Amino acid sequence: MTAAPTLERPLAQRAPRRTPRWQLRLSAWLPVLTTSAILLAMFITGQAVFGNFFTSRLISSLFLDNAYLIVLAVGMTYVILTGGIDLSVGAVVAFSGIFGAQLLQTGWPAFIVIPAIVVSGSLIGALIGVLVQVFEIQPFIASLAAMFLARGLAYVVSLQSIAITDPAVTWLERTRFQLGGGWFVTPTVIIAVLTVAVSVWVLQYTRFGRSVYAIGGNEQSARLMGLQVARTRIAVYVISGTCAGIAGLIFAAYTGSGYSLTGLGMELDAIAAVVIGGTILTGGSGYVIGSLFGVMVYGLIEISITYIGVDSWWTKIVVGGLLLVFVVLQRLLVARRKR
Amino acid sequence: MRTLTRHRLFWPIAALVALVVINTLSRPSFLSVTVNDGELYGSLIDILRNSAPLMLVGIGMTLVIATRGIDLSVGAIIAISGAVALSYIANSGSPESLVTVATGIGLGIGVSLVLGLWNGFLVSVIGIQPIIATLVLMLAGRGIAMLITQGQITTITSGPYDFIASGYVFGLPVPFYISVVAVVAAALLVRRTAFGVLLEAVGINPAASRLAGIKSRGIIWIVYGFSGLLAGAAGIIYSSNISAADANNAGLNVEVDAILAVVIGGTSLAGGKFMLSGTVIGVLIIQTLTATVTFLGVPPAVTPLFKAIVVIVVCLLQSPKVRQLLTKRRKPTPRAERTETVKVSAAA
Amino acid sequence: MSAPEVVVEVRDVSIEFPGVKALQHVGLSLRSGEVHSLMGENGAGKSTLIKALTGVYPVDSGTIIAHGVERDFSGTADAQAAGISTVYQEVNLCTNLTVGENVMLGHEVRGFWGINWSATHDAASIHLARLNLDVDPRSPLSAHSLAVQQLIAISRAMVINSSVLILDEPTSSLDRSEVEKLFDVMRSLRSDGVAILFVSHFLDQVYEISDRLTVLRNGELVGEYLPSELDRVSLVSKMLGREFSELESLGERVAHTERPEGVDPVLNVSGLARKGSVEPADLDLYPGEVVGLAGLLGSGRTELARALYGADRADAGRSFVNGREVRLTNPRDSVDQRIAFSSEDRRAEGIVGDLTIRENIALGVQAKRGWARPMTRQSQDELAQKYIAALNIRPANPEALIRNLSGGNQQKVLLARWLATAPQVLILDEPTRGIDVGAKAEIQKLVTQLATDGMAVLFISSELDEVVRLSQRICVLRDHRIVAEIENKEGITVDDVVALIAQGGDE
């Protein structure tokens, strides 16, 4: 370093404030660390108050009950990282569930039906992507249109709930791989965890993933840097749609049926989980792993509410309250960083 | 002709007219209005009456969107407003008393105003993005409504309360008058005072507005309060219509419909210039669309599909890209340079 | 220099936007191992030409030839693939990412498992070290000053082994030593055979570094010159398209007048400070006086004015208006004290684009009155008519949208907005930047007139001769501090001010 010529003092020294290196590097992770701290605190409090809380069985079922939401939140994370939003995912879950159930009922084999419903999610995502990127329609409205579309298609397929008896689909849910010590996973949970793992890799270790962050940070810059903005933006909506398709499969397996009225407001749960997981809604900052934590916080609130024994609507109030705490914290953090 | 199609309200009005024409063709009785006991009945009257809650919410939403905001909590506020009003009236022991009903309504709307101001506080003082600030109440609001009704669907039998949704004055339904009053009040507020222009300035360029000395905080606060207030009134109409407070379903998805109405009416979600008249037409389009679906004998389940198509078509028609294709301009103006290049074209 | 190889050639290129001929039959040759300066006033077509070269705009006619092949760029990526990379005036990086990522974005070192981050950051370090930048590649970009970010942007441009580097006003946010450093980098790149296209408004810099000059005016090519063939005066007159004598007569120097005894300052601040941008400053503004703030970009001129007005909140300091202590913590406080501030960033902080000229003019008065007390339409019309006539605003249609006006006319509308509020103190930050010569002269005249009528004016401009011509007193800023305050008497010249700006640096 010192071998470099000319200037007497390194430029970086004139930066207004000298923050230690470790602190600079860590700052992006602060929101995620906060979420994990909250998660930990919830476990500890739960254990202290109820006893028998921080157990392998509870955590295993936490994953099982929220596998679909994990997948949804992962897909939503991509979109939010680019500064967009996808309101269609709840309706896509309903549509893919009922669509799959109907196909299975008419005798289609599972190995065709499962890919078909996932792809149907991707197609709806692609529609949003094109509306947003090519026709410059705001993501909010474009995904709203897709929400109506998916919900309408679900209604067209069937207004009644259709039970799913196909062994391949029920296998996804009913199989419990015992891991010893009371830990177990189902194939649905494995799918969810795989989605998280793949997304961590995609977002952190591929150029595509870095483009997602760059677009969320500054779209104009990303374009001038020669990144593939259009392709990337359409892709994030396709990914979100695909994840919604997968979540639809998991949810159908979980409930053992397809029903066109499921998933009302599910997109809000996913958004809330992503935000609680530390991703900033304006884009460019956040991590998939945070969204996983966000979903777990969400699930733990639900469980705690049943443990306490109060009415279920308290879940909504607590989640809303926690969301509030989180956005206020983020706001303070940003304000402090700007100083 | 060209200037006509360029008018900002052309496409919304064309869509509304098209919907009415389709309905009339499929069933000519659509346009007929009958007089019964000096009260008007007919499909058009139904549309006017049923559109009242959405009209109120849509007007509030228009102003919120003009400030670059959005209010997702209106549906939850509708639920809370109905729950508060009905719980009070049901527990009062004198549901037929005018005073009781008036107090109940006052409470419901008052609570809604407070909730709207709370949204405004989060947005303008704390500085949280509107979408997330109002998402908080959207999520928590229904829980709060459940808390008020104790998870029950509170029902009442109250003549005065029923009158709000199903009464008639001078031959026209009461909700229609409420819509008109709300539209006129909003129009007076924004165009007879300087509220509208200051609001637009804040929506178009917040930084410039601040330096010009505009107190945007107060303006934003008022707008969210107003939106909450109108949603509260919508909640009263809604609960009066079914004589019950249904915390789960009251105002479900109304925020979506309201945002659609605003966008269809030609106000950009990006904020700035707004058009109350556009929103009024947007609301009527959505309400007529719902009526059309029932009218055409299409199962109501397909309504969302129709909405999807309308939204996509209207948004595409308003998208600058498609407009360019339609007007066949030779070369699209490059994005970054848009503001630069227009200046000479207008000066010339 | 024996006729170096031409790497990129622009031949007879025209670009037209609706209603504007941005470029007409322009040619440009960039040669390997040369620094080529592109000169021209604002609106001459420099940025359009650069954007054509970098694939942002498609060309209407003419050809771009890179490395002997005719190119049809359809995006930045195409241009980069052809070895052309660009650093823009506004730093086009992503502040949410780390320094290393910004340098390497799209060119990360990849291994079997995807991006190899340690190798990527190492590579970034090497590129940064080439510019002698001691920056942790893993630190977030937002933690660094604009100047450092600018140099990081240049590092990024060098990652793509470019044969052509376009620097679009890279020096505007750099201080002297940083510019030196940039020039060192440019020289070393030049000796490596890179063709550099350089755009700068600082003539000194242009003459210091350039091997060749191309001058554009109104979208047309004026000519290509060697710096040795063209002295500064001729260069400026070629850029402006008029003779230098004409330029000199553009504005007479304002005669210095002694302030009569016993006049109290209308605005007086002491110890005004804001962490990181304004060192404690004292300033008195007297009625009827123009005070100029001189200093390089980044010296704290704008920051001082903003803190004074309350656009940015000061951490310390007391303000007195007409001898009474007041709190000026936000713009509204200042407006209430009849202090007006016109921002240097006209588009982002001045105009309200979708509103009309009338509405923009009335906005200041209306903001002061509040929304509940609207101005009548008639009084708005009168106000607009009055200022359109007084300031010669074109088009003279009060219902035209302000965003469709030229820069100079937008500036006049903004002045009108403030004048309509009858301020006693007027702070003008770069009111003449980026506007045509005619409007510039009109605004200068107006400033003098306002002061004669008794207003106190604080005038900020990066054009020192403007400051010297108009001001009664000049405050010189350096490193966020007022380092000198001089009475602008006869005999004070731009050189004296430059000397004060350049002085010291070792205290």
Side-chain angles (χ1 to χ4, degrees), chain A residues 98 158-163 257-260:
Chain A
I98 192 89
S158 169
L159 281 172
Q160 267 72 50
S161 168
I162 302 175
S257 65
Y259 185 34
S260 48

Side-chain angles (χ1 to χ4, degrees), chain A residues 266-318:
Chain A
M266 208 183 257
E267 60 279 352
L268 299 179
D269 296 341
I271 294 169
V274 171
V275 172
I276 291 175
T279 301
I280 292 176
L281 263 183
T282 41
S285 168
Y287 298 93
V288 167
I289 205 77
S291 302
L292 173 65
F293 291 158
V295 172
M296 302 200 45
V297 167
Y298 190 101
L300 265 191
I301 293 173
E302 265 181 337
I303 292 179
S304 309
I305 297 287
T306 32
Y307 264 65
I308 299 170
V310 292
D311 297 301
S312 64
W313 56 76
W314 277 100
T315 310
K316 295 269 177 209
I317 300 179
V318 175

Side-chain angles (χ1 to χ4, degrees), chain C residues 11-245:
Chain C
R11 265 190 218 154
D12 201 27
V13 159
S14 300
I15 293 184
E16 198 173 324
F17 298 122
V20 196
K21 287 177 176 162
L23 281 183
Q24 296 177 64
H25 310 290
V26 168
L28 177 73
S29 302
L30 300 179
R31 296 170 178 81
S32 159
E34 264 193 15
V35 174
H36 194 135
S37 285
L38 187 59
M39 305 297 297
E41 283 282 274
N42 283 298
K46 288 174 308 195
S47 35
T48 310
L49 181 56
I50 287 174
K51 290 196 166 134
L53 266 175
T54 49
V56 178
Y57 295 162
V59 298
D60 288 340
S61 68
T63 49
I64 295 176
I65 299 160
H67 301 288
V69 185
E70 193 172 312
R71 310 278 177 159
D72 185 13
F73 299 141
S74 64
T76 332
D78 285 0
Q80 288 184 2
I84 302 175
S85 53
T86 315
V87 174
Y88 294 93
Q89 178 184 12
E90 329 83 72
V91 179
N92 277 295
L93 296 176
C94 296
T95 46
N96 59 323
L97 301 179
T98 67
V99 171
E101 281 180 76
N102 270 296
V103 172
M104 302 299 291
L105 206 56
H107 311 277
E108 296 93 345
V109 183
R110 286 187 290 192
F112 183 74
W113 291 107
I115 297 170
N116 179 341
W117 280 115
S118 58
T120 302
H121 280 123
D122 289 347
S125 292
I126 292 169
H127 288 289
L128 292 167
R130 216 173 141 188
L131 272 75
N132 191 21
L133 271 172
D134 175 29
V135 174
D136 177 11
R138 289 173 196 267
S139 59
L141 184 75
S142 53
H144 301 285
S145 70
L146 261 183
V148 173
Q149 290 186 20
Q150 183 72 268
L151 292 171
I152 291 169
I154 295 172
S155 296
R156 173 181 169 76
M158 295 327 299
V159 171
I160 323 164
N161 263 329
S162 322
S163 50
V164 178
L165 175 63
I166 299 174
L167 300 172
D168 187 3
E169 296 199 40
T171 55
S172 56
S173 56
L174 303 190
D175 69 24
R176 199 165 278 253
S177 67
E178 288 159 347
V179 169
E180 264 319 304
K181 199 159 158 42
L182 172 67
F183 282 3
D184 286 341
V185 172
M186 285 169 68
R187 288 189 190 102
S188 91
L189 291 173
R190 173 167 63 184
S191 58
D192 292 347
V194 176
I196 297 175
L197 182 65
F198 180 66
V199 179
S200 169
H201 282 308
F202 300 100
L203 294 186
D204 295 342
Q205 295 176 2
V206 169
Y207 275 95
E208 185 182 341
I209 194 84
S210 309
D211 301 305
R212 207 176 285 271
L213 303 168
T214 288
V215 179
L216 296 181
R217 189 175 66 234
N218 294 333
E220 290 176 51
L221 180 68
V222 177
E224 188 189 282
Y225 311 91
L226 294 177
S228 51
E229 292 171 349
L230 192 70
D231 63 23
R232 287 173 195 223
V233 174
S234 337
L235 172 62
V236 171
S237 48
K238 288 204 188 304
M239 283 162 62
L240 297 179
R242 51 175 102 185
E243 292 307 313
F244 194 68
S245 54

Side-chain angles (χ1 to χ4, degrees), chain B residues 189 192-195 197-198 200-202 204-205 207-215 218-219 222 271-273 329-337 339-348, chain C residues 15-20 51 57-58 60 306 309-312 331-332 335 341 343 347-355 359 363-364 366-367 370-372 374 395 403-407 417-418:
Chain B
L189 171 68
R192 282 290 148 174
T193 71
F195 195 77
V197 73
L198 295 187
E200 284 181 338
V202 170
I204 297 165
N205 192 340
S209 305
R210 177 173 170 270
L211 288 185
I214 298 175
K215 289 180 181 163
I219 288 177
I222 290 173
K273 284 277 185 188
R329 187 172 290 173
R330 196 173 53 91
K331 190 174 63 174
T333 317
R335 250 189 208 197
E337 202 64 6
T339 39
E340 279 282 342
T341 48
V342 277
K343 68 185 176 204
V344 187
S345 56
Chain C
I15 293 184
E16 198 173 324
F17 298 122
V20 196
K51 290 196 166 134
Y57 295 162
D60 288 340
R306 292 182 69 93
Y309 182 65
D312 298 326
R332 186 47 197 252
V335 168
F341 169 75
S343 163
R347 194 174 309 153
E349 297 190 331
I351 66 167
V352 180
D354 283 337
L355 295 187
E359 287 167 323
L363 197 62
Q366 190 60 64
W371 60 268
R403 66 177 153 86
N404 294 341
L405 269 56
S406 72
R417 178 194 291 170
W418 285 121

Side-chain angles (χ1 to χ4, degrees), chain B residues 23-36:
Chain B
N23 275 299
T24 316
L25 287 180
S26 71
R27 229 170 93 181
S29 65
F30 181 79
L31 283 180
S32 72
V33 173
T34 56
V35 185
N36 198 347

Side-chain angles (χ1 to χ4, degrees), chain B:
Chain B
M1 188 62 199
R2 166 140 291 188
T3 48
L4 188 66
T5 58
R6 285 259 176 86
H7 191 277
R8 289 176 81 181
L9 281 181
F10 176 80
W11 289 111
I13 291 178
L16 185 57
V17 170
L19 278 174
V20 171
V21 169
I22 291 170
N23 275 299
T24 316
L25 287 180
S26 71
R27 229 170 93 181
S29 65
F30 181 79
L31 283 180
S32 72
V33 173
T34 56
V35 185
N36 198 347
D37 271 351
E39 293 169 0
L40 298 174
Y41 290 93
S43 306
L44 292 179
I45 303 297
D46 284 345
I47 290 173
L48 287 184
R49 179 177 51 215
N50 295 339
S51 64
L54 188 57
M55 191 70 84
L56 298 185
V57 174
I59 287 164
M61 189 70 79
T62 310
L63 299 187
V64 170
I65 286 178
T67 64
R68 294 190 173 187
I70 200 150
D71 189 350
L72 297 181
S73 70
V74 285
I77 294 181
I78 284 181
I80 294 175
S81 159
V84 168
L86 283 196
S87 299
Y88 175 81
I89 297 171
N91 293 331
S92 66
S94 55
E96 294 292 337
S97 146
L98 264 180
V99 179
T100 311
V101 169
T103 317
I105 294 173
L107 279 176
I109 294 183
V111 168
S112 307
L113 174 64
V114 170
L115 292 173
L117 292 174
W118 158 256
N119 283 332
F121 169 77
L122 288 182
V123 173
S124 67
V125 181
I126 308 282
I128 298 172
Q129 294 151 279
I131 189 170
I132 201 85
T134 53
L135 180 63
V136 169
L137 193 53
M138 183 188 190
L139 277 174
R142 288 199 185 272
I144 295 171
M146 289 290 241
L147 208 61
I148 296 167
T149 61
Q150 290 303 308
Q152 311 292 314
I153 295 181
T154 310
T155 53
I156 54 162
T157 351
S158 163
Y161 201 75
D162 287 349
F163 181 76
I164 298 167
S166 36
Y168 272 83
V169 173
F170 302 123
L172 285 168
V174 174
F176 170 70
Y177 289 104
I178 300 178
S179 312
V180 171
V181 167
V183 171
V184 170
L188 286 180
L189 171 68
V190 299
R191 298 299 176 208
R192 282 290 148 174
T193 71
F195 195 77
V197 73
L198 295 187
L199 181 69
E200 284 181 338
V202 170
I204 297 165
N205 192 340
S209 305
R210 177 173 170 270
L211 288 185
I214 298 175
K215 289 180 181 163
S216 65
R217 183 174 288 183
I219 288 177
I220 290 174
W221 215 331
I222 290 173
V223 160
Y224 281 92
F226 193 58
S227 174
L229 182 88
L230 288 174
I236 301 292
I237 300 178
Y238 187 91
S239 60
S240 158
N241 203 21
I242 57 170
S243 294
D246 181 350
N248 268 325
N249 296 313
L252 198 63
N253 286 335
V254 74
E255 60 282 340
V256 167
D257 281 345
I259 293 165
L260 280 183
V262 173
V263 173
I264 291 175
T267 299
S268 160
L269 266 189
K273 284 277 185 188
F274 65 91
M275 274 194 301
L276 284 176
S277 50
T279 302
V280 170
I281 291 166
V283 167
L284 292 177
I285 288 177
I286 289 180
Q287 206 61 48
T288 313
L289 192 67
T290 316
T292 310
V293 174
T294 14
F295 234 80
L296 294 180
V298 186
V302 195
T303 314
L305 266 189
F306 272 78
K307 273 189 189 164
I309 293 166
V310 171
V311 175
I312 292 176
V313 169
V314 172
C315 287
L316 284 182
L317 284 174
Q318 290 181 354
S319 126
K321 202 84 168 203
V322 175
R323 288 208 164 170
Q324 267 163 6
L325 288 179
L326 287 179
T327 52
K328 293 208 182 87
R329 187 172 290 173
R330 196 173 53 91
K331 190 174 63 174
T333 317
R335 250 189 208 197
E337 202 64 6
R338 225 175 257 154
T339 39
E340 279 282 342
T341 48
V342 277
K343 68 185 176 204
V344 187
S345 56

